[in-house]
Amino acid sequence: MKYKFSLSAFLLVVSFAAIASQPRKVLVIGIDGTRSDALQQANTPNLDGLLANGLHTFDAWHCGITVSGPSWSDIMCGVWENKHGVTSNSYTGSNYAQYPYFVTRAKELKPSLYAVQVTEWAPMSDLVSNDGWDQKIKVPDGAGTPTAAAAVTALANENLDALFVYFDAVDLAGHASGFNPSNPSYMAAIEGVDGHLGTVLNALYARPNYANEDWIILITTDHGGIGTGHGGGTDIERNIWWIGSGNAIQQQTITGTDPGSYQYTGFPYFVEAVDTAILRQTPVQTDIAVTALHHLIYDTGTNPEDVTAWDLDGKSWLKTITSVAEKPAELSVSVYPNPASDLVSLWFENKKNSRVNYAVYTNEGKLVNVPSVITSQNKLTLNFEGNADGIYFIKLNIGGNEVTKRVLINQTAPKGVATPDHDHSNCNGKH
Ligand SMILES: [Zn+2]
């Protein structure tokens, strides 16, 4: 097997105990080129109906290249452009062999899963390899009605486990007459796609066994737009939205969290540009694949974030998260920088000035000796110098309150600083 488990035996027992008996299934809807502000102003009863149960944000931010090829690869592979290699709509340079679609990953553990893609955009159908679909259906670009009809047919198959449906009409309207909420044809396109979404959802809810199935619905766009185009780094191109709906998804409404300054300045730009501490709390595009994958393989007890060989950038928004790193914590701790090459600082709230203890483990669970440079009431700085590149878990104990944080050590990452400074517990470690 290509993957490696990093969970301890104890956690595996816990996670298996939490498994629900209903088969877990995934519907991913892609609506190309839909500005967040326009979506909020449009009349979209079907999207609105999904907001209440799960996660939603109108303040998600595109951390990569605001072009469809790279963006949909972020969304479907769960990694950014520096890994999947797609930087344009020509799809040249793609590395789907090493970083495939989430469906391919799910089938590594569950080969019998059945997955269908319905897409209006030909490059997504013709230029992507190793995507794992059992059936790839190409429908006329921007038409909507045949797209919904193909999705309805796919949903009639009782054995269906994963369905991706992609609509292009909004992006086409933006290119034709402007990505702008004051453009009536742009708004009409959004409302038209919402109508088609209604058709798809009705077919989902009409599945004979729907009551005994555990579906999550993940919906997002790939980018916004400015004028009649996109591909740059302005906020209205980068500001996107994200809906994760279903009983298995965390109940959360997230507003205002921008992972930081990450305008596209050349490849590879991502690792150094993004504040990873804020990224952890913000829905971004790579989270779609990881959440979908986690749901599909949930009964195997594996959290995709823990599979080292998969090297995913996204995170799972499922309610029950089994990894060491994501155990629900009472303490709020920020880690910076992450990835790091040597010094890593952790900021936390410690009003009672409790004693701060820590331990560091490798991804395999082995205790390693990492000395502290600073230990203060609100800050701990560790020196990872001399440790091999890889994922480490820092277990903090502050006055009996425990939390575990994950950090990636990489010799090419920025160097940290060892200055005892002001209280960073409210600034997420952002400088
Ligand atoms: Zn476009």
Side-chain angles (χ1 to χ4, degrees), residues 74-376:
D74 301 340
I75 293 163
M76 303 309 278
C77 302
V79 298
W80 299 105
E81 291 94 3
N82 58 330
K83 293 180 184 172
H84 63 63
V86 179
T87 56
S88 75
N89 289 345
S90 73
Y91 282 81
T92 49
S94 63
N95 186 13
Y96 293 120
Q98 199 178 343
Y99 296 101
Y101 271 31
F102 72 87
V103 181
T104 301
R105 288 304 190 202
K107 286 183 172 183
E108 289 180 29
L109 276 73
K110 298 177 72 177
S112 65
L113 290 174
Y114 191 80
V116 176
Q117 169 179 270
V118 179
T119 181
E120 298 181 350
W121 192 48
M124 183 186 276
S125 185
D126 301 343
L127 303 179
V128 179
S129 56
N130 204 17
D131 49 16
W133 306 117
D134 296 281
Q135 201 186 356
K136 288 166 86 159
I137 303 166
K138 199 161 63 178
V139 283
D141 201 8
T145 302
T147 316
V152 169
T153 303
L155 283 162
N157 177 356
E158 208 176 316
N159 296 320
L160 180 71
D161 295 297
L163 173 64
F164 174 53
V165 187
Y166 165 94
F167 295 97
D168 205 13
V170 181
D171 190 65
L172 294 174
H175 286 295
S177 55
F179 290 83
N180 199 314
S182 63
N183 173 8
S185 56
Y186 187 66
M187 299 301 278
I190 295 174
E191 293 172 3
V193 169
D194 185 71
H196 297 306
L197 172 65
T199 305
V200 175
L201 291 176
N202 284 338
L204 171 67
Y205 304 146
R207 286 171 63 82
N209 203 30
Y210 180 74
N212 300 314
E213 295 170 340
D214 183 0
W215 283 85
I216 59 169
I217 304 164
L218 304 167
I219 312 185
T220 193
T221 191
D222 53 341
H223 51 71
I226 185 167
T228 55
H230 53 83
T234 62
D235 279 0
I236 55 172
E237 289 161 281
R238 295 192 304 111
N239 182 197
I240 56 165
W241 49 275
W242 214 102
I243 298 169
S245 189
N247 295 329
I249 300 271
Q250 289 185 43
Q251 288 286 337
Q252 239 169 317
T253 303
I254 294 178
T255 56
T257 41
D258 184 329
S261 167
Y262 38 71
Q263 298 196 357
Y264 180 51
T265 54
F267 182 83
Y269 56 92
F270 175 77
V271 170
E272 283 154 324
V274 172
D275 184 326
T276 47
I278 294 177
L279 192 67
R280 290 299 302 170
Q281 302 149 28
T282 309
V284 290
Q285 290 168 314
T286 49
D287 299 348
I288 300 268
V290 177
T291 303
L293 175 57
H294 192 193
H295 197 63
L296 288 173
I297 64 172
Y298 195 83
D299 59 355
T300 70
T302 303
N303 184 330
E305 292 182 52
D306 295 330
V307 182
T308 315
W310 290 353
D311 194 20
L312 295 164
D313 293 322
K315 55 198 176 290
S316 169
W317 290 94
L318 292 196
K319 259 180 201 163
T320 308
I321 294 175
T322 55
S323 84
V324 175
E326 300 304 329
K327 265 169 49 178
E330 290 169 34
L331 278 172
S332 169
V333 179
S334 304
V335 182
Y336 189 86
N338 188 7
S341 57
D342 52 5
L343 299 178
V344 175
S345 292
L346 298 95
W347 287 268
F348 36 82
E349 201 169 83
N350 183 9
K351 287 192 177 124
K352 291 183 190 158
N353 201 9
S354 301
R355 188 189 168 102
V356 177
N357 290 311
Y358 74 96
V360 180
Y361 299 88
T362 65
N363 199 30
E364 288 76 35
K366 191 171 150 251
L367 185 67
V368 284
N369 181 27
V370 176
S372 66
V373 181
I374 295 164
T375 310
S376 72

